[in-house]
Amino acid sequence: HARLFVERFRAANDEAPATLEAFARLNSLTPGAVLPLGSHHWRAAYHVAFPIVTHGANVDERLLSLDEFALVLGNYPYPSSDIEGVLRRYDVAYLVTDEISLRAFIERHLGGDDRLSPMLDPIWRTPSLVLAHVRRDDARAYPREQAADGVATAAVRAAS
């Protein structure tokens, strides 16, 4: 079913080639855990070659405790408001989301305190798809600037 959906999506969506290019770029990077933010679990599962921080169709407490489920997906389809804990606990390297989901998570689940964006280095960014690398250093050390689209970005980035 997923393959059929992707084929239909590809034919009906002008962004499909760019989406495929974005995920190809992500898959060419150093392998690392991926956290889908919002309703992007299916996209990540279909397109990403790395481990995905998510749950199966059913929650089996023998495999995933309710506390772990609450941490990872306590605000389904978003993680708990302890985003730093999720990123640290699962050693998340990449985020898959979109602009609306990212803003919704920040507003609804972080109370408007955008402590997530400073930890992200965009790999690909369009309104319908954001792929980002999660910084493993102290993101607060980087000055931020306001982008034209209103999304804060790091003005200075660490040398890779």
Side-chain angles (χ1 to χ4, degrees), residues 36 38 41 53-55 68-80 86:
H41 300 268
V53 180
T54 190
H55 67 93
E68 287 290 304
F69 178 82
L71 179 67
V72 175
L73 287 165
N75 297 309
Y76 186 80
Y78 301 100
S80 72
V86 174

Side-chain angles (χ1 to χ4, degrees), residues 15-154:
E15 289 186 26
T19 298
L20 296 176
E21 181 183 341
F23 281 109
R25 183 178 299 176
L26 175 63
N27 287 326
S28 72
L29 300 174
T30 303
V34 175
L35 177 67
L37 189 70
S39 297
H40 293 279
H41 300 268
W42 67 268
R43 285 177 108 177
Y46 188 83
H47 292 289
V48 176
F50 308 144
I52 299 168
V53 180
T54 190
H55 67 93
N58 298 306
V59 177
D60 184 341
E61 288 186 64
R62 295 171 299 176
L63 303 173
L64 181 70
S65 72
L66 288 179
D67 288 341
E68 287 290 304
F69 178 82
L71 179 67
V72 175
L73 287 165
N75 297 309
Y76 186 80
Y78 301 100
S80 72
S81 58
D82 182 10
I83 189 64
E84 295 92 343
V86 174
L87 299 176
R88 187 174 41 255
R89 168 91 169 93
Y90 296 97
D91 200 20
V92 174
Y94 304 104
L95 192 79
V96 173
T97 191
D98 62 71
E99 293 290 348
I100 293 171
S101 296
L102 183 58
R103 287 190 190 116
F105 178 71
I106 292 164
E107 291 302 316
R108 293 182 198 148
H109 305 296
L110 300 182
D113 175 15
D114 187 2
R115 55 189 192 267
L116 178 58
S117 294
M119 294 185 260
L120 303 176
D121 281 322
I123 297 166
W124 191 273
R125 188 171 217 143
T126 67
S128 64
L129 181 63
V130 173
L131 302 178
H133 178 261
V134 177
R135 285 197 203 121
R136 295 172 192 254
D137 54 7
D138 184 4
R140 289 168 287 209
Y142 296 100
R144 293 164 25 118
E145 64 185 14
Q146 196 72 19
D149 63 359
V151 177
T153 58

